[in-house]
Amino acid sequence: MSANNAPQPVKLSLPLEYQQRLFQELRTEDELVIIARGLGLIRLVTNLLHSYDAAGNNLIIVVGAEERENAWIGEALAEQAAISAAPKARGLTVVNTDFTSVAAREKMYAKGGIYSITSRILVVDLLTSLLNPETITGIILLHAEKVVVTSLEAFILRVYRQKNKNGFLKAFSDNPDPFTVGFSPLATMMKNMFLRKASLWPRFHVTVASSLEGKKKAEVIELEVPMTDAMTEIQTAIMECVEVSIHELKKGNSRLEMDDWNLDSALLKNFDVMVRRQLDPNWHRVSWKTKQIVSDLTVLRGMLHSLLALDCVSFLQHLDTIHAAHSPQPGSTKQSQSPWLFLDAAHTIFDTAKRRVYASNAKANAKSSIDSLRPVLEEQSKWAVLAEILEEIDRDLYFEPPMRDDSNGTILIMCSDTATTRQLRDYLQTMHVEPKTESDTNQGKEKHKPSGAFMMRRKLRNYLNWKKEFAQVSTALFSENQKALEGAVDPRIAQSAYKGRAPANKRRRVRGGGTSAAVSGRNANGSVAQYFEKPNEVADLMDEVQVTEEEANHKPDIIADPLEDMDDYFELYEMQDLIVIHAYEGDQDEHVLEEIKPRYIIMYEPDAAFIRRVEVYRSSHNDRNVRVYFMFYGGSVEEQRYLAAVRREKDAFTKIIKERASMSVVMTVDAHGVEDPQEAFLRTVNTRIAGGGRLAATAQPPRVVVDVREFRSSLPSLLHGRNMIIVPCMLTVGDYILSPNICVERKSVSDLISSFKDGRLYSQTETMFQHYKSPMLLIEFDQNKSFTLEPFADLSGNLRSVNPNEGPSDLQSKIVLLTLAFPKLRVIWSSSPYQTAEIFESLKTQEEEPDPVAAVRAGLDKDAKAEDQAFNLEPHDMLGAVPGITPQNIKNLTLEVENVREVANMKLEELQPLIGKEAARQVYGFFNRNLIDLDD
């Protein structure tokens, strides 16, 4: 090893057998690794990158990494470079548009190193040969499950493999689900990635199991916490609503495949997305009711989670907002409301949620005949169990001090999100604070148990204040809607007024649901009514939860913290008696375990991946003892969801293993394969030479100039797949230039609507006509959605859309107006990007190839160079709207001034030399006008 050119020894942090085997595999061959979540994917990737980084002469590209993954990989590489003392290691460089210019990127690529590049920049750099694919040592692809045919990643790999046959390619995924959907999905995905081998590592893999289930298993204590009766009641009611909603969906859409539309799959993360995806192709034919139910399912599933995660006051507040959002506009009929609100189960949900917070006293006061309310404030069952666990840990530490080992005495509490971490922090801080109330007569007799009473009373006070304001807002909105409805003259609304009620005068019907609500707690139309407490009930409740002396003495949370004299006030925590509350955060949890080295871990909510992380952590360190408390609500959705997730992952891996066993990957290593020269010639010979056409036998493949911003869509990838050369440029006019005469502006439907709204499309069409003979507007629909404008016909959906003063808000009428304004504009309708690629190919026949330089120049000033142009158009347009600014003088301003704020702050004397006296006076007056005193 003494020789200078000998490879440097590299220290790896892969202690377990399965990690080492995987690493060896990856170093020797290209493959797709699908690994179970929680088995340390990022650690594997960083070690692999470090082994290449230490050599110091490689150019490695990381594709598909998220922002937080970049941070983890960068940190780990720096750490490992220090441990291995590798002099040539350079760490990770993240490339995204915010920081790096084209020239800087070119220099960086020439130097080599490890780069994590966003897909959109990478694909442009590869196509413009700013980054020569042949110089790349290899590509590491994360989130391989996202590589479908139309994705940017598939495009990148195709360009890479066309030019570079020797570089390595290693793909990683920790989500087996997408590899099981469709026909031979694994083979298709591998074809997209130009890989031949798949390596599967589920938790039940023999090597993984033996690595994690040795002598050093973590001690796990499972705690099944029973839900309170009220919680069980609410959960059953919500499940009933979900079941009824699914039943209604099935009834209304019998044509679809609905095997997995059942309660079990309704608990999964993406059930509503799955249903929506199946309905999308027929979305315009789907009834209003079905659309409503699909959005209701999302709400109901959110409620199931909130019931277990939120305390009773926050849950009631959550329900109030849901109810307000789902209440119909005044004057609407029964059909326009969410169907689940008419079920008895919905009444149970709202009623029980109220009973958990407050109840009425049975005996009426002497003063009034109205029942007064008293706070109930039911606590979550897990809180008491959490307090017990902490007590038990304290007892253990006191009576049986553990042997010294490498663990800190820290207690780590893991939960699902930051809201829960805040809730637990508040509870643990205040569980021993006892609010003294008048009813505490037998106080001396029994010891105070830990309870969340203090925190809950504070929450109830806040809730009552919030509800008061909420009621005022609701009333104001109701009256505004009422006015809008009365001003509208539209036959649809006139018919929807309640029939059988006499009109107040001949011109106008009086609308609005009557004040006489039918059954108690129901609206006139049968749905659950929103409940607002009466003022004297609120006063009673407020009296009950008045701030007591202890509460007044309790320190408020510090919101802003000045950092002067930091050293006097701050010190590092002693790790021995610290409680850390943390939310699950994917691979970051590994770092949390390594840094905190906890002796006790309390899993407040179940998470399969985290259990594996603890197993890996424990097996990797002989000298760290860990005890895990695993809490879950028995018989709850939480338990069901956890078991279903584990089962689904196991099934997915089993499916993939079966497919791999019988899979035949038919593919060439080259993208497209090498094209036969004769084929290439025949392809470019135009066969349509009838009627005096000319024989076009050009030996070069067709070329399309594409705007850089268009690489967010899948169309450039599909054009490249049809053997067209893609030339990315910064275009001012149009999105795709097919020939010197043909310029295409591509719009997806949502983009079309927004560009009609802000008038952008009109000016874009105008500039296209200035520079090209045949401008075209391409309206491209999504391949999986319906090929019709009906779903988008009126996206405004508010009451103004029925007001005739607004003018036509219809999309079709706007397109008609555009064609009237520009009679020569061709409009192309395309059902999907695939069809667009075909249309482009046929448009290019008989046409000459476009000139990229001319395409970039179009729309720029004749005398200005391309690099001098101000490409940031929004501020430019904004300045253009200021009084006094003309197309002539805006140029001087933009050259001298960096941003709009600077213009706004300029003095009159500074403006005058740039744009002249009169214009300067107008601009200065505009920015310095006093908005309050309007008489000036």
Side-chain angles (χ1 to χ4, degrees):
M1 283 287 171
S2 55
N4 289 340
N5 58 356
Q8 291 292 325
V10 174
K11 290 189 178 135
L12 300 177
S13 57
L14 296 172
L16 300 179
E17 188 193 346
Y18 77 90
Q19 294 172 329
Q20 290 158 2
R21 269 186 51 187
L22 236 172
F23 179 80
Q24 296 301 343
E25 246 180 55
L26 282 163
R27 279 295 303 202
T28 50
E29 55 190 327
D30 290 0
E31 61 182 12
L32 161 67
V33 174
I34 305 176
I35 189 168
R37 203 165 269 162
L39 293 182
L41 175 71
I42 291 289
R43 170 178 286 210
L44 187 71
V45 173
T46 47
N47 276 284
L48 184 66
L49 286 172
H50 174 56
S51 69
Y52 290 114
D53 190 21
N57 55 356
N58 296 315
L59 170 59
I60 311 270
I61 309 289
V62 179
V63 180
E66 293 166 3
E67 208 171 310
R68 55 192 196 142
E69 287 168 338
N70 283 332
W72 301 335
I73 293 172
E75 204 175 295
L77 280 178
E79 208 172 283
Q80 286 185 299
I83 293 167
S84 297
K88 293 182 182 174
R90 283 175 284 188
L92 179 80
T93 313
V94 179
V95 177
N96 53 24
T97 34
D98 308 343
F99 308 115
T100 44
S101 66
V102 174
R105 291 208 298 274
E106 196 165 14
K107 275 185 196 155
M108 280 158 51
Y109 297 147
K111 282 193 302 199
I114 295 182
Y115 296 101
S116 175
I117 311 181
T118 54
S119 300
R120 202 166 65 86
I121 296 176
L122 180 57
V123 79
V124 172
D125 286 353
L126 286 171
L127 289 168
T128 51
S129 294
L130 185 72
L131 167 57
N132 183 355
E134 291 168 16
T135 59
I136 299 175
T137 317
I139 288 186
I140 302 263
L141 174 72
L142 301 178
H143 299 291
E145 71 276 1
K146 292 181 183 167
V147 185
V148 291
V149 182
T150 51
S151 66
L152 266 184
E153 287 75 18
F155 189 8
I156 288 166
L157 298 181
R158 195 183 324 131
V159 176
Y160 169 63
R161 272 292 174 241
Q162 264 180 350
K163 304 262 180 73
N164 184 341
K165 307 282 188 287
N166 307 321
F168 69 73
L169 169 58
K170 304 179 193 313
F172 298 89
S173 172
D174 61 357
N175 181 6
D177 272 356
F179 293 94
T180 59
V181 184
F183 177 69
S184 65
L186 182 63
T188 315
M189 293 279 217
M190 288 175 68
K191 204 168 170 185
N192 295 340
M193 291 184 266
F194 304 100
L195 288 170
R196 290 160 180 252
K197 183 181 175 198
S199 179
L200 310 176
W201 295 81
R203 171 65 179 81
F204 53 81
H205 189 293
V206 179
T207 321
V208 177
S210 65
S211 301
L212 298 184
E213 292 170 8
K215 303 168 200 160
K216 302 172 289 190
K217 276 174 76 170
E219 178 188 355
V220 180
I221 299 169
E222 239 179 65
L223 297 164
E224 184 174 335
V225 184
M227 291 198 292
T228 62
D229 296 342
M231 285 168 78
T232 315
E233 209 172 315
I234 294 176
Q235 181 178 292
T236 316
I238 298 177
M239 294 299 273
E240 190 183 322
C241 292
V242 172
E243 202 161 7
V244 171
S245 300
I246 293 176
H247 179 67
E248 285 291 321
L249 269 185
K250 285 183 167 178
K251 206 162 70 180
N253 304 281
S254 48
R255 299 181 308 284
L256 294 174
E257 176 200 347
M258 296 178 289
D259 298 344
D260 45 2
W261 288 17
N262 50 37
L263 255 188
D264 198 26
S265 53
L267 302 179
L268 290 172
K269 263 190 195 151
N270 52 1
F271 176 69
D272 38 354
V273 181
M274 191 173 78
V275 171
R276 178 70 207 254
R277 200 177 291 141
Q278 275 183 287
L279 289 171
D280 259 344
N282 299 319
W283 196 242
H284 60 294
R285 295 200 200 107
V286 166
S287 65
W288 182 89
K289 193 175 180 188
T290 302
K291 292 178 185 175
Q292 183 66 52
I293 292 174
V294 171
S295 68
D296 289 344
L297 276 173
T298 313
V299 173
L300 288 166
R301 290 172 63 251
M303 277 161 62
L304 277 174
H305 174 71
S306 311
L307 171 67
L308 301 177
L310 303 177
D311 55 81
C312 61
V313 178
S314 308
F315 181 65
L316 183 59
Q317 189 170 349
H318 179 62
L319 283 184
D320 281 342
T321 50
I322 286 177
H323 195 284
H326 284 248
S327 298
Q329 290 167 336
S332 71
T333 57
K334 193 167 182 172
Q335 277 70 36
S336 67
Q337 218 175 344
S338 298
W340 67 275
L341 282 171
F342 296 97
L343 300 173
D344 289 340
H347 192 262
T348 312
I349 295 170
F350 289 101
D351 204 41
T352 316
K354 272 207 297 281
R355 282 211 316 270
R356 290 174 69 201
V357 180
Y358 52 77
S360 54
N361 276 333
K363 55 179 192 304
N365 290 351
K367 288 177 279 180
S368 67
S369 57
I370 303 169
D371 285 359
S372 60
L373 296 176
R374 61 183 170 78
V376 176
L377 300 178
E378 176 184 275
E379 295 185 15
Q380 302 285 80
S381 332
K382 276 190 183 175
W383 293 350
V385 177
L386 182 63
E388 273 173 41
I389 292 173
L390 292 173
E391 237 170 81
E392 181 187 310
I393 291 173
D394 275 354
R395 275 203 305 275
D396 266 17
L397 287 172
Y398 185 73
F399 290 117
E400 302 170 23
M403 292 160 22
R404 293 294 302 148
D405 62 8
D406 197 25
S407 292
N408 293 319
T410 315
I411 301 169
L412 175 64
I413 302 177
M414 298 297 290
C415 49
S416 60
D417 52 25
T418 43
T420 317
T421 57
R422 272 199 300 275
Q423 180 201 74
L424 290 180
R425 184 195 64 189
D426 286 354
Y427 173 72
L428 293 175
Q429 280 173 346
T430 60
M431 66 184 181
H432 293 300
V433 180
E434 190 179 355
K436 288 192 174 64
T437 52
E438 294 161 23
S439 56
D440 289 350
T441 45
N442 59 347
Q443 203 196 338
K445 293 177 192 169
E446 55 182 88
K447 202 177 90 193
H448 171 64
K449 283 192 183 132
S451 85
F454 178 92
M455 173 173 94
M456 296 305 290
R457 287 161 66 90
R458 187 170 62 197
K459 289 204 177 217
L460 182 57
R461 279 199 297 276
N462 295 342
Y463 168 73
L464 291 171
N465 292 331
W466 172 83
K467 191 72 184 268
K468 208 187 304 174
E469 288 175 18
F470 184 69
Q472 288 165 358
V473 172
S474 296
T475 323
L477 283 175
F478 183 91
S479 58
E480 269 190 32
N481 281 352
Q482 199 75 2
K483 279 180 202 155
L485 275 160
E486 290 180 355
V489 256
D490 184 273
R492 286 176 294 178
I493 285 192
Q495 285 158 14
S496 74
Y498 292 122
K499 296 185 175 63
R501 205 174 276 171
N505 55 26
K506 287 188 178 120
R507 281 168 307 140
R508 190 187 293 161
R509 293 260 184 111
V510 177
R511 298 173 190 82
T515 45
S516 55
V519 198
S520 65
R522 295 271 175 182
N523 281 332
N525 64 1
S527 69
V528 178
Q530 177 102 27
Y531 178 73
F532 287 111
E533 297 82 359
K534 298 177 190 71
N536 47 2
E537 294 180 336
V538 175
D540 280 342
L541 262 182
M542 273 303 215
D543 287 345
E544 285 277 355
V545 289
Q546 272 311 315
V547 180
T548 59
E549 197 180 329
E550 284 85 353
E551 291 175 308
N553 294 339
H554 200 269
K555 280 195 301 189
D557 278 355
I558 297 171
I559 293 161
D561 197 356
L563 292 178
E564 300 103 35
D565 318 324
M566 224 171 101
D567 300 344
D568 304 347
Y569 297 104
F570 293 94
E571 56 180 351
L572 284 174
Y573 278 123
E574 180 58 50
M575 293 301 276
Q576 289 309 323
D577 47 5
L578 195 62
I579 297 180
V580 180
I581 307 179
H582 202 280
Y584 294 125
E585 211 186 338
D587 285 299
Q588 178 63 24
D589 297 341
E590 248 172 79
H591 297 280
V592 172
L593 288 171
E594 292 289 352
E595 282 175 26
I596 294 176
K597 304 183 195 166
R599 174 166 289 124
Y600 301 100
I601 299 173
I602 302 172
M603 290 178 65
Y604 188 74
E605 282 150 314
D607 179 61
F610 185 74
I611 295 172
R612 290 176 193 152
R613 287 185 218 287
V614 175
E615 286 183 318
V616 171
Y617 167 75
R618 178 71 188 89
S619 308
S620 307
H621 302 283
N622 288 335
D623 49 356
R624 294 185 193 171
N625 291 312
V626 181
R627 184 191 294 173
V628 183
Y629 293 91
F630 179 76
M631 296 164 76
F632 61 91
Y633 281 118
S636 72
V637 175
E638 184 178 67
E639 180 186 18
Q640 189 75 17
R641 200 177 280 150
Y642 167 70
L643 295 172
V646 173
R647 189 172 62 245
R648 267 175 73 90
E649 188 190 71
K650 192 175 177 185
D651 292 349
F653 268 116
T654 316
K655 258 189 197 166
I656 299 174
I657 290 166
K658 274 187 188 155
E659 189 191 334
R660 187 181 64 171
S662 59
M663 179 174 71
S664 58
V665 182
V666 182
M667 59 170 275
T668 50
V669 180
D670 340 349
H672 311 313
V674 178
E675 209 176 8
D676 179 37
Q678 201 175 350
E679 283 265 311
F681 178 75
L682 286 174
R683 179 173 46 70
T684 50
V685 170
N686 193 342
T687 52
R688 297 175 61 191
I689 50 174
R694 57 200 169 80
L695 174 68
T698 53
Q700 58 174 359
R703 186 168 60 211
V704 178
V705 179
V706 181
D707 185 26
V708 172
R709 288 157 290 214
E710 275 298 302
F711 282 90
R712 289 192 186 92
S713 75
S714 55
L715 185 54
S717 168
L718 295 171
L719 291 172
H720 184 264
R722 287 180 162 266
N723 285 327
M724 292 189 195
I725 291 178
I726 305 291
V727 185
C729 292
M730 194 64 136
L731 299 180
T732 317
V733 180
D735 291 329
Y736 294 86
I737 312 297
L738 304 185
S739 78
N741 300 327
I742 301 177
C743 164
V744 180
E745 179 68 40
R746 176 189 159 277
K747 297 280 179 201
S748 63
V749 181
S750 52
D751 196 15
L752 183 72
I753 291 165
S754 67
S755 49
F756 267 132
K757 272 186 185 159
D758 58 14
R760 197 172 69 231
L761 187 58
Y762 188 88
S763 53
Q764 283 173 332
T765 316
E766 211 166 27
T767 49
M768 286 203 296
F769 271 104
Q770 285 168 10
H771 298 279
Y772 293 95
K773 278 186 191 165
S774 315
M776 299 184 182
L777 171 65
L778 163 72
I779 300 173
E780 188 179 82
F781 288 76
D782 193 334
Q783 176 192 353
N784 302 319
K785 297 194 177 170
S786 43
F787 185 28
T788 169
L789 278 177
E790 270 177 57
F792 310 97
D794 181 18
L795 271 190
S796 47
N798 56 8
L799 284 166
R800 291 193 325 194
S801 61
V802 294
N803 197 332
N805 309 336
E806 288 296 311
S809 60
D810 222 351
L811 191 54
Q812 279 101 325
S813 53
K814 284 181 178 167
I815 296 172
V816 171
L817 286 174
L818 184 74
T819 48
L820 287 173
F822 301 102
K824 285 188 175 175
L825 176 72
R826 320 267 178 88
V827 180
I828 303 172
W829 300 86
S830 167
S831 61
S832 72
Y834 289 97
Q835 193 185 355
T836 309
E838 273 178 45
I839 294 170
F840 278 13
E841 204 167 30
S842 55
L843 282 173
K844 279 186 68 63
T845 51
Q846 290 285 16
E847 291 288 340
E848 289 175 15
E849 296 307 327
D851 176 10
V853 179
V856 173
R857 280 219 185 107
L860 303 181
D861 287 357
K862 295 281 178 286
D863 52 349
K865 292 181 193 153
E867 52 267 26
D868 295 342
Q869 288 297 318
F871 278 115
N872 205 347
L873 294 175
E874 276 179 36
H876 208 262
D877 296 346
M878 210 162 126
L879 259 186
V882 174
I885 299 280
T886 61
Q888 287 73 37
N889 64 23
I890 194 168
K891 197 70 193 290
N892 300 344
L893 262 185
T894 44
L895 288 173
E896 290 295 322
V897 183
E898 268 193 36
N899 50 35
V900 178
R901 187 177 62 194
E902 213 172 302
V903 179
N905 292 330
M906 283 173 98
K907 295 194 177 75
L908 194 58
E909 305 79 69
E910 294 171 325
L911 281 165
Q912 278 175 358
L914 293 175
I915 53 174
K917 273 190 184 175
E918 181 53 29
R921 193 184 60 75
Q922 283 181 311
V923 172
Y924 182 77
F926 174 77
F927 280 118
N928 292 281
R929 188 175 180 196
N930 186 348
L931 289 180
I932 298 164
D933 188 7
L934 291 172
D935 298 329
D936 286 2

